[in-house]
């Protein structure tokens, strides 16, 4: 990363008012950087950044990454994009634009100011995988015209752009494929499974298992993920990825529901709801590459991560 001659490095985080972005910003500020957060607040919330009000090294700019951005920075983390299926399916055209135009605009910025750029891709590029667990070499099994395609294909096209900018123009890109991550600051109505189940259990509402709950996911706690991000960015100009970051411990959705109910207690019932279209049946990262290249592996297992996340949502739910 470029160091300014008379100051700290200034880092742009797009999507910084969201769940992952706000944790990343905390980590970058702890490391002594200046941070410019760019977000259009579509799914993010400024309350995720309230604790940074008045911080001398933090700046917020409301901006949509579908439009060009002219700023001077030393590195870019591009996280802007709705991540929850209910949010990215709300305005699918805008989701594809955010992924693709956002990638073009942020890569253009990286090219102009000659800095490394990190991109938040996703395990969704593997679609409903026929290879298990999923290594980075797997090309995926994605429906190009289904309800999840705006997100999956948008992210796949963004990956294409990142690697073409790398090959064609020599841009130092870092593409991470994130597997299901959870933790404090997910929005209580975010719709993703961990926050949904915890909030439902805390409110004594039915816990909604889609389908039979036999589909699997592998859940990574946010602090582990952010450590992987920072190691990747620090890894130097020869490491571009894509690299899977996630926790390989795999659970069925029913197991997750039972675990959450056991931890929260209360009177919630487990109920079944229709399985959404194209819902992947299994997902587990092969993290051999992250272990080898970044010396990274997750440390916080689901029990501990759920305890921390439940403690956070308990306060949110109590505050109303
Ligand atoms: P999130 O919805 O909490 O955060 C996304 C942020 O991007 C929000 O603050 C939102 O307002 C902002 N945003 C959306 N469209 C924008 C636009 N056009 N211009 C500017 N800002 C915009 O989601 P998250 O979980 O924090 O996800 C962050 C990134 O990580 C996303 O790119 C997502 O695809 C990726 N990802 C997350 C997970 C996960 O499990 N959390 C898994 C795979 C990939
Ligand atoms: N899911 C569920 N109940 C919910 C929310 C989600 O059973 O209230 C299921 C969903 O169908 C999927 C899994 O949990 O199989 C993970 O969903 P999520 O939206 O968190 O992320 P995905 O990995 O599907 O993008």
């Amino acid at each position: 990363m470029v160091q300014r001659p008379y100051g700290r490095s200034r880092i742009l985080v797009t999507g910084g008012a969201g769940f992952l972005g706000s944790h990343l910003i905390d980590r970058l500020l702890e490391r002594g950087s200046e941070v410019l957060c760019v977000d259009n607040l579509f799914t993010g919330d400024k309350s995720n950044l309230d604790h940074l009000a008045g911080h001398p090294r933090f700046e917020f700019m409301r901006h949509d990454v579908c439009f060009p951005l002219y700023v001077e920075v030393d590195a870019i983390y591009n996280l802007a994009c709705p991540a929850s299926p209910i949010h990215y399916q709300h305005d699918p055209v805008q989701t594809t634009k955010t992924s693709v135009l956002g990638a073009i605009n942020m890569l253009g910025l990286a090219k102009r100011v000659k800095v490394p750029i990190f991109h938040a891709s996703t395990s969704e590029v593997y679609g409903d995988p026929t290879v298990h667990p999923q290594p980075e070499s797997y090309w995926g099994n994605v429906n190009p015209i289904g309800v999840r395609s705006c997100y999956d294909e948008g992210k796949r096209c963004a990956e294409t752009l990142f690697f073409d900018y790398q090959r064609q123009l020599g841009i130092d890109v870092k593409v991470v494929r994130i597997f299901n991550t959870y933790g404090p600051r997910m929005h209580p109505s975010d719709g993703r499974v961990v926050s949904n189940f915890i909030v439902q259990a805390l409110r004594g509402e039915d816990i909604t298992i889609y389908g039979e709950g036999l589909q699997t996911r592998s859940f990574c706690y946010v602090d582990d993920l952010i450590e992987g991000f920072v190691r990747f960015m620090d890894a130097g100009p020869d490491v571009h990825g894509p690299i899977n970051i996630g926790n390989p411990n795999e659970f069925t959705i029913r197991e997750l529901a039972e675990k959450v109910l056991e931890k929260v207690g209360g009177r919630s019932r487990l109920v079944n709801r229709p399985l959404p279209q194209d819902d992947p049946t299994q997902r587990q990262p092969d993290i051999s590459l992250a272990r080898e290249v970044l010396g990274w592996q997750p440390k916080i297992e689901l029990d501990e991560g759920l305890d921390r996340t439940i403690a956070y949502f308990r306060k949110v739910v109590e505050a109303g």
Side-chain angles (χ1 to χ4, degrees):
M1 193 182 305
V2 185
Q3 289 291 332
R4 290 184 182 278
Y6 301 109
R8 310 173 185 95
S9 59
R10 183 165 190 250
I11 302 182
L12 168 63
V13 178
T14 76
F19 162 48
L20 298 181
S22 64
H23 285 276
L24 173 63
I25 288 172
D26 285 346
R27 184 67 198 274
L28 296 173
L29 290 171
E30 271 164 36
R31 282 161 58 104
S33 299
E34 287 181 22
V35 175
L36 170 61
C37 168
V38 162
D39 201 299
N40 70 350
L41 301 180
F42 174 51
T43 53
D45 198 312
K46 269 191 160 175
S47 64
N48 287 333
L49 304 167
D50 275 353
H51 60 291
L52 300 177
H55 193 296
R57 284 182 281 112
F58 176 71
E59 215 179 316
F60 177 83
M61 182 193 291
R62 191 163 181 159
H63 174 82
D64 183 332
V65 295
C66 295
F67 299 94
L69 179 67
Y70 296 94
V71 292
E72 304 305 315
V73 289
D74 303 303
I76 302 167
Y77 284 86
N78 185 39
L79 273 62
C81 188
S84 157
I86 54 166
H87 290 143
Y88 69 64
Q89 289 169 26
H90 170 74
D91 185 350
V93 172
Q94 178 62 27
T95 299
T96 305
K97 282 187 183 172
T98 294
S99 271
V100 177
L101 297 178
I104 291 171
N105 288 323
M106 292 310 111
L107 282 160
L109 175 63
K111 179 180 154 202
R112 184 177 66 78
V113 294
K114 299 185 179 61
V115 300
I117 177 166
F118 172 104
H119 178 65
S121 189
T122 168
S123 54
E124 285 286 318
V125 300
Y126 301 122
D128 192 2
T130 53
V131 170
H132 195 73
Q134 294 82 55
E136 292 83 352
S137 55
Y138 177 50
W139 289 356
N141 177 36
V142 176
N143 177 355
I145 56 165
V147 293
R148 293 175 86 101
S149 311
C150 58
Y151 185 73
D152 300 9
E153 296 289 16
K155 289 284 187 180
R156 284 168 69 95
C157 183
E159 285 202 10
T160 306
L161 285 160
F162 271 78
F163 285 96
D164 280 336
Y165 268 74
Q166 194 273 316
R167 279 185 293 261
Q168 194 177 331
L169 299 160
I171 306 294
D172 180 8
V173 305
K174 316 272 182 199
V175 175
V176 66
R177 291 182 179 155
I178 304 166
F179 284 66
N180 297 65
T181 300
Y182 68 98
R185 298 194 199 143
M186 294 182 89
H187 196 280
S189 342
D190 180 278
R192 282 178 279 186
V193 68
V194 176
S195 46
N196 253 20
F197 285 1
I198 292 176
V199 170
Q200 288 166 342
L202 287 168
R203 290 182 178 149
E205 296 168 358
D206 289 347
I207 296 184
T208 53
I209 296 175
Y210 300 160
E212 294 302 311
L214 299 177
Q215 68 274 33
T216 67
R217 294 294 187 272
S218 307
F219 298 103
C220 184
Y221 188 68
V222 60
D223 291 1
D224 279 335
L225 186 90
I226 300 300
E227 176 64 25
F229 281 15
V230 170
R231 283 191 192 208
F232 194 4
M233 194 57 129
D234 285 349
D238 298 326
V239 184
H240 303 301
I243 297 186
N244 290 338
I245 301 277
N247 189 320
N249 283 342
E250 186 181 6
F251 297 85
T252 67
I253 294 305
R254 178 163 287 277
E255 282 171 336
L256 177 72
E258 286 164 354
K259 214 179 236 306
V260 167
L261 187 55
E262 189 191 310
K263 284 180 179 293
V264 174
R267 290 170 290 107
S268 295
R269 296 175 310 149
L270 304 186
V271 299
N272 295 95
R273 294 281 179 266
L275 187 66
Q277 191 191 326
D278 291 342
D279 200 286
T281 48
Q282 56 180 0
R283 191 182 283 155
Q284 183 191 38
D286 178 335
I287 59 163
S288 314
L289 191 63
R291 281 201 175 100
E292 185 191 325
V293 175
L294 309 180
W296 176 89
Q297 62 179 26
K299 294 199 177 89
I300 300 163
E301 292 309 341
L302 187 60
D303 273 309
E304 186 185 345
L306 280 182
D307 288 343
R308 293 189 196 185
T309 310
I310 290 167
Y312 168 80
F313 277 114
R314 204 179 282 284
K315 285 193 201 137
V316 172
V317 168
E318 278 167 8

